[in-house]
Amino acid sequence: MAAAPSISKAAFQRNLPTLRDELLDLQTKLHTSKSCAVAVIIAGTPAAGRSETVNALLEWLDPKHIGVHALGVPSAEDKKFPPLWRYWQKLPARGRMTFFFAGWYSEYLGGVIKGDRSKHRDRRAVERIVQLENMLMRDGVRVVKIYLHTDHVTQQRRLKELCANKLTSWRVSKEDRWQAKNYKRVNRVVHMCLQATEHDAAPWHRVDGTDEDYRLLTVGKILRNEIAAGLKAAEQKQRNRPSEKTGKVVPLAVSQSKQPLDDDEYERQLATLQGRLARLVRKSRFAKHGLVLAFEGMDAAGKGGAIRRITHALDARQYQVVPVSAPTPDELSYPYLWRFWRHIPAQGSITIFDRSWYGRVLVERVREFTPAPDWQRAYEEIVEFERQLTEHGLFVAKFWLQVSKDEQLKRFKARDEDPLKRFKVDPEDWANRRYYDAYQTAAAEMIRRTDADDAKWHIVAADDKKQARLTVLKAVCQTLER
C-alpha cells in the first residue's frame, strides 16, 4: 500500500499565511461583489477530519459570512416535504458561503452503503443530485464537493482516541462504528457513488485525511481555486448577456364560450363543485398527499376570482395563497427556484400560486428581463422541480387562463372607471398589453414543453368569468380524484 501523502510542519507553517491571505481576499471579493455564492459539501469516512477541517477554515476566514449545516437524519417534519426541500432552505445567498456536512448526499450515501435502496431509487437520487448541482452552478452557486478519507488503521486509532475522552466521545456515533467495522464494503460502495455523481459542473475532490497538515492545506487550496473560478465565471457571464427576441406568433387555440351561464345555474354548479372539493381535501388519504396549484394567464384574465372560489371551499388552516410578483433584491440573491421551494406545502396542505415559477419563461422572456440562455434552460429545470413534487405525493395542477385581447381591454377600462377596482390596473399592466401576441407565443411553447401526465396544464377559456371559475374548480376536483 502506498504511503499516505504528507507535508512537513515547517512547510505547512511556511505556506499557511499566504493561503490564508488569498482565501480572505477572495472571500472579501465574494462578499463585496455578491456575484455568486459558494456551497461546500464536506463528506468522508468517520475520523477522516471533517469537523476539524471546517473548524480550521472558519478560523482562517470571516465566519460572519459563512453558514454551517449538519442536517443529519430527516425529522418527521422534514419527511412531509420532498427530499431536497430542506437543503433549498439552507442555500447560501450571493456573497455568502455555506458548508454542508454531507449535504444532499447524506441520505443517498447512507442508503446505498446499507444496501436498503432499490436500483430505481438510486438512479433517481443521482438524477436529482446532478440536476440540482448543474442548476445551482448555472444560477451562480459554486458547488464544491470534497471527500475526505483515511486508511483503516488510522481510522480505528482516531475513533479509539475520541471514545477514550469524555469530552469527545459524543462525536463517535453508532453509524461511525458500523462504517469502521465494514471499512472495505463502505469504501467500495462509496467509490461507486462518487463515480455516479461525478460530473463536469461539480467534480469530486478526494483528499487523504491521514496527515492533518496535508489535509488542511489541500482543502484550503481547493476552496481557494473554486472561489476564484466562481468569481471568474460570474464576471464572464455578466459580460456575455445575450438576449433573444420572441419568434413568430403561435396563438393558443382556445374556444371561448358564447353562451352565457344563467346566474342561478352558475350558483348551483358552484356550490356543488365547492362541496365536492371540500370533501376531497378532508378525506384521510389526503393527509399523505398535498396540493400545488399554479395560476398563469394574461392580466385581467380572472386568476384572483378563480382562486377565491377555490379557497371558499377550504379550511383557512389548510392552505396558503402565494402572490408572485417581481423578485425582491433578497430573492434575486438566491437561485431562481429558491423562492418557490420555500412555499411548497407539507403533506396534507395546499399552496396556491397566483403566478408562479413560469414567470421565467413568460414575463422574463417576453420583456427580456432574463438572458435567453437562462429562460431557455428553465423548461428542463421546471419539469424536474415538478417531478420531485409529484414523486413525493403532491398533486400538481397548472392553469392558463386565456382572455381575448378585446375582452382584456374591456376589463381594463371597467376597472379604471370603478374606484373600488382601480387598484387592479397599473401602468405595468397597460405596458404588458403591448406584448399580448408575444405572451401568446411564449405561453404556447411553455405549455407544450412542460405539460406532463401528473402535472397537467389546463387551458381555460376566460372571457366568461363564471364558466372559467367552474372549469377551474372541476379540474382541481378531477386532479384529486385521479
Side-chain angles (χ1 to χ4, degrees):
M1 181 185 294
S6 61
I7 187 173
S8 69
K9 186 64 70 175
F12 176 75
Q13 295 295 343
R14 189 169 60 250
N15 284 280
L16 183 57
T18 302
L19 178 60
R20 289 188 64 175
D21 283 347
E22 291 171 338
L23 281 168
L24 276 169
D25 180 56
L26 286 166
Q27 186 189 20
T28 301
K29 289 178 179 176
L30 177 72
H31 177 65
T32 304
S33 70
K34 290 183 171 50
S35 59
C36 65
V38 179
V40 185
I41 304 286
I42 297 281
T45 55
R50 289 168 292 177
S51 296
E52 293 84 351
T53 301
V54 173
N55 288 339
L57 290 169
L58 290 173
E59 287 181 14
W60 298 354
L61 296 162
D62 184 347
K64 293 197 302 292
H65 309 302
I66 299 176
V68 180
H69 300 291
L71 298 185
V73 178
S75 65
E77 184 63 23
D78 291 333
K79 290 179 180 178
K80 293 180 180 179
F81 297 91
L84 292 179
W85 171 84
R86 59 187 186 140
Y87 300 107
W88 275 93
Q89 314 307 305
K90 305 296 184 184
L91 286 178
R94 292 177 188 268
R96 291 186 60 84
M97 189 184 315
T98 295
F99 290 96
F100 290 97
F101 280 90
W104 39 85
Y105 287 90
S106 180
E107 296 100 292
Y108 170 58
L109 283 171
V112 174
I113 288 170
K114 291 292 184 68
D116 59 358
R117 300 170 64 96
S118 69
K119 288 184 178 180
H120 172 71
R121 285 182 64 198
D122 285 346
R123 189 162 56 249
R124 266 305 287 152
V126 169
E127 285 176 2
R128 281 197 295 264
I129 286 170
V130 172
Q131 190 274 343
L132 171 67
E133 291 172 354
N134 273 298
M135 185 187 60
L136 292 179
M137 294 288 282
R138 290 189 294 248
D139 271 348
V141 180
R142 191 78 183 179
V143 179
V144 185
K145 302 189 302 193
I146 298 170
Y147 190 86
L148 304 179
H149 60 91
T150 187
D151 62 84
H152 195 205
V153 173
T154 302
Q155 183 187 67
Q156 294 280 31
R157 174 176 57 78
R158 288 179 179 173
L159 289 174
K160 190 174 180 180
E161 290 171 356
L162 289 170
C163 289
N165 187 334
K166 289 182 180 180
L167 297 177
T168 58
S169 59
W170 62 271
R171 290 173 52 186
V172 182
S173 66
K174 184 179 178 181
E175 178 67 18
D176 292 337
R177 294 190 183 95
W178 186 92
Q179 288 201 30
K181 185 178 179 181
N182 296 273
Y183 181 83
K184 288 185 178 178
R185 174 185 173 181
V186 169
N187 265 11
R188 184 177 66 254
V189 174
V190 164
H191 178 72
M192 291 189 296
C193 291
L194 298 190
Q195 277 191 320
T197 54
E198 180 83 14
H199 57 107
D200 292 341
W204 278 103
H205 300 277
R206 297 168 176 80
V207 179
D208 192 305
T210 305
D211 181 86
E212 181 180 359
D213 291 341
Y214 169 82
R215 180 189 74 235
L216 293 176
L217 212 59
T218 303
V219 172
K221 289 176 180 177
I222 290 169
L223 187 57
R224 175 198 64 192
N225 296 342
E226 289 283 2
I227 297 174
L231 290 168
K232 184 178 179 181
E235 183 183 345
Q236 186 70 30
K237 183 176 180 181
Q238 191 64 30
R239 282 203 302 265
N240 305 328
R241 287 181 64 88
S243 63
E244 181 170 303
K245 300 285 184 182
T246 53
K248 183 181 176 182
V249 174
V250 183
L252 285 166
V254 180
S255 177
Q256 297 286 352
S257 173
K258 294 182 180 179
Q259 194 73 1
L261 197 63
D262 174 78
D263 285 351
D264 291 339
E265 178 62 17
Y266 165 69
E267 292 295 342
R268 186 190 68 76
Q269 290 190 35
L270 180 65
T272 300
L273 287 167
Q274 287 177 330
R276 181 173 158 192
L277 176 58
R279 289 191 297 274
L280 285 166
V281 297
R282 286 166 176 77
K283 286 181 178 290
S284 58
R285 279 167 48 186
F286 184 70
K288 296 181 181 179
H289 297 278
L291 180 63
V292 176
L293 302 177
F295 282 84
E296 295 288 353
M298 303 302 297
D299 295 320
K303 296 181 290 296
I307 290 170
R308 284 194 295 277
R309 271 61 184 186
I310 293 171
T311 57
H312 286 173
L314 306 175
D315 184 329
R317 295 166 295 182
Q318 195 177 19
Y319 73 88
Q320 64 168 331
V321 177
V322 180
V324 176
S325 54
T328 64
D330 182 51
E331 290 169 338
L332 286 171
S333 69
Y334 290 91
Y336 176 70
L337 288 173
W338 174 81
R339 63 178 177 146
F340 305 106
W341 270 103
R342 294 171 65 205
H343 297 294
I344 292 306
Q347 290 174 336
S349 299
I350 300 164
T351 300
I352 303 171
F353 290 92
D354 186 350
R355 300 202 183 278
S356 68
W357 43 94
Y358 284 99
R360 173 132 292 188
V361 295
L362 288 170
V363 63
E364 293 186 26
R365 167 187 173 171
V366 172
R367 300 294 298 275
E368 297 184 10
F369 296 149
T370 297
D374 288 343
W375 66 254
Q376 285 167 349
R377 65 179 167 87
Y379 298 110
E380 180 185 339
E381 292 169 359
I382 287 170
V383 168
E384 173 62 24
F385 165 56
E386 292 173 353
R387 185 180 177 188
Q388 290 185 34
L389 303 185
T390 58
E391 284 178 337
H392 189 64
L394 299 177
F395 300 114
V396 177
K398 304 171 298 191
F399 297 90
W400 173 266
L401 272 62
Q402 175 71 358
V403 65
S404 66
K405 210 169 185 178
D406 290 343
E407 178 63 22
Q408 184 189 55
L409 179 60
K410 179 181 173 183
R411 292 180 185 180
F412 275 12
K413 289 180 176 179
R415 289 177 178 183
D416 267 346
E417 293 167 2
D418 187 341
L420 298 178
K421 294 184 177 181
R422 198 169 292 154
F423 73 94
K424 290 187 176 184
V425 182
D426 58 31
E428 189 64 22
D429 294 329
W430 284 103
N432 267 331
R433 183 169 162 75
R434 296 200 303 270
Y435 298 89
Y436 184 94
D437 291 340
Y439 273 108
Q440 296 296 296
T441 297
E445 183 175 4
M446 169 191 77
I447 292 166
R448 177 177 61 82
R449 295 185 62 175
T450 61
D451 194 32
D453 288 341
D454 50 3
K456 284 192 70 63
W457 273 107
H458 302 273
I459 305 174
V460 180
D463 276 10
D464 184 326
K465 288 183 179 181
K466 293 176 182 177
Q467 286 282 14
R469 292 164 186 167
L470 297 177
T471 301
V472 167
L473 270 167
K474 189 179 296 182
V476 174
C477 292
Q478 290 172 343
T479 297
L480 292 170
E481 288 165 346
R482 183 188 64 203

